[in-house]
Amino acid sequence: MEKKYSAAIYPSQDVIDSVKTMKDYLKSKINWYNSCNSTAHITICEFTIDDSQIHTIKNKITKTCNTLTPFQVYLDHFGSYDNAGAFFIAPNETSKNQLKPVMKKIQEILQSLKLKKSDDPHLSIGRKLIPENLKIASQLFTTIEIDFLCKEIVLRELDPIKKQFFVIDTFEFGSNPEPEFVQGSLF
């Protein structure tokens, strides 16, 4: 049976809680909106596959995450994609430059799938907001200074009834960089 999955980076629980508080506050001002109930995360990609393939996908992610090393992510400003009605928390330039290669590696190992990719790391507060609500969000939230240790990738499955993703597996970074291949000489 085909199911929809998402690979993502989850921040620490205290960041998840802080973002939930922000989402709830925004919801109290503008009522229900897209992603008001979703857990804070940085999307890497989404894909739909037959659930019989998930074991292969998990093996690929495990192997890749084993080569990654944890690093601190600093989120220090808000941003928006006006065309998508998205309001989000963004990482500083250093963190963005550390997150992008991780996202790209996961996307590359899954490139045989039809991926809906994200190439700009961010934590969404709201999506598909109408312009007035986007303006309200940007007035409510002006400064932010949070950080977390990026140490794992989560694989999530979409619950078709709740229309929310839930975590089905976590892949910790192993800090085991792949050895460089060196051309040797026999003589």
Side-chain angles (χ1 to χ4, degrees), residues 63-70 101-102 105-106 153 172-177:
K63 191 174 176 184
T64 300
C65 285
N66 189 44
T67 68
L68 301 173
T69 302
V102 170
K105 268 190 177 183
I106 299 298
I153 302 286
E172 291 191 18
F173 294 176
S175 301
N176 294 311

Side-chain angles (χ1 to χ4, degrees), residues 2 47 50 56 58 66 91 97 103 109 119 127 132 187:
E2 283 211 330
F47 53 92
D50 189 275
T56 305
K58 287 182 179 185
N66 189 44
N97 291 335
M103 294 166 69
I109 62 160
D119 57 2
R127 294 181 310 109
E132 301 86 74
F187 303 103

